[in-house]
Amino acid sequence: VLQQLKEAEIGAYYADKTKEYYAYKTKKVYTPSGKFEIYSKTLEEHGYDPLPKYVEPAQSPVSTPELAKQFPLILISGARTQEFTHTQMRHIPGLRSARPEPFAEMHPATAGRYGLADGDWAKLSTRNGSLRVRVKTTPDMLPGIVSLPHGWAQANVNLLTDMQDRDPITGYPDFKALLCRVEPIIPYQE
């Protein structure tokens, strides 16, 4: 393991045991049947659909077309970067050099449509607020989607999320899909 760490550019993940496959054969599954269930009698007993189904996010071009006129892009959040663990390790110079600033990933066509290019500073806004981020263009993102990784104190994506729209079963807020817009900004001098 020590040799692997010496050879790794940014470190390596460590687990105290190996991945266990087929755990269901030796461990209890905590469902009424004791098996993996797709059809949930528990949900059915509480008045919910017992089968998984797609539900349009509370904010989307489909569910909130008027809001989409003001915020035409879809913001996804919560992506992790390998260098950091949530908000931790950002003070370590070797790790921080790989990801020195908060960034938002988007397709080059999306950035271009709003007058942005790779490396530009942008104002990323939702109806709940705005953040200053560096644009990182990548063809890996679908056009019209903006991804903001979590863990940056100066660009806390949770400040943009909407706590009003919650999942009816879990009560969890809609952290992963919001409507947003981006616009170029001139960076402030530090």
Side-chain angles (χ1 to χ4, degrees):
V1 173
L2 183 57
Q3 187 59 34
Q4 290 174 333
L5 284 172
K6 288 178 181 178
E7 294 171 2
E9 290 182 25
I10 58 171
Y13 285 102
Y14 173 78
D16 60 356
K17 63 180 184 175
T18 60
K19 180 122 177 113
E20 184 180 351
Y21 295 95
Y22 308 106
Y24 67 89
K25 290 182 177 180
T26 58
K27 295 184 179 178
K28 179 172 174 47
V29 176
Y30 293 95
T31 62
S33 68
K35 299 176 183 178
F36 178 77
E37 297 177 349
I38 293 176
Y39 187 100
S40 173
K41 289 186 182 211
T42 303
L43 287 176
E44 184 178 47
E45 289 168 3
H46 287 89
Y48 297 104
D49 193 334
L51 290 170
K53 69 175 184 176
Y54 175 77
V55 176
E56 186 71 22
Q59 288 185 34
S60 79
V62 174
S63 61
T64 52
E66 288 302 313
L67 185 62
K69 290 177 184 174
Q70 186 180 1
F71 299 99
L73 302 171
I74 297 171
L75 172 64
I76 58 175
S77 67
R80 309 302 199 252
T81 54
Q82 188 174 6
E83 294 84 2
F84 308 121
T85 303
H86 305 293
T87 59
Q88 301 171 17
M89 316 298 190
R90 294 177 192 271
H91 64 286
I92 299 172
L95 298 178
R96 187 66 182 251
S97 67
R99 302 274 188 219
E101 302 161 317
F103 63 92
E105 291 182 307
M106 62 188 79
H107 192 277
T110 303
R113 186 169 64 214
Y114 296 96
L116 294 162
D118 193 65
D120 286 350
W121 284 103
K123 180 179 176 183
L124 174 61
S125 304
T126 68
R127 69 179 177 187
N128 295 324
S130 59
L131 301 172
R132 178 183 171 269
V133 293
R134 196 64 92 167
V135 172
K136 181 178 176 189
T137 60
T138 173
D140 295 338
M141 295 297 299
L142 285 172
I145 306 292
V146 177
S147 176
L148 183 60
H150 91 283
W152 291 96
Q154 65 271 47
N156 185 348
V157 69
N158 291 336
L159 298 176
L160 301 181
T161 60
D162 198 331
M163 298 298 286
Q164 294 173 335
D165 298 318
R166 296 177 180 270
D167 179 80
I169 296 171
T170 65
Y172 198 74
D174 220 353
F175 285 140
K176 302 294 182 188
L178 298 165
L179 293 177
C180 74
R181 70 172 173 252
V182 293
E183 53 195 305
I185 60 171
I186 300 171
Y188 61 86
Q189 299 296 316
E190 296 187 34

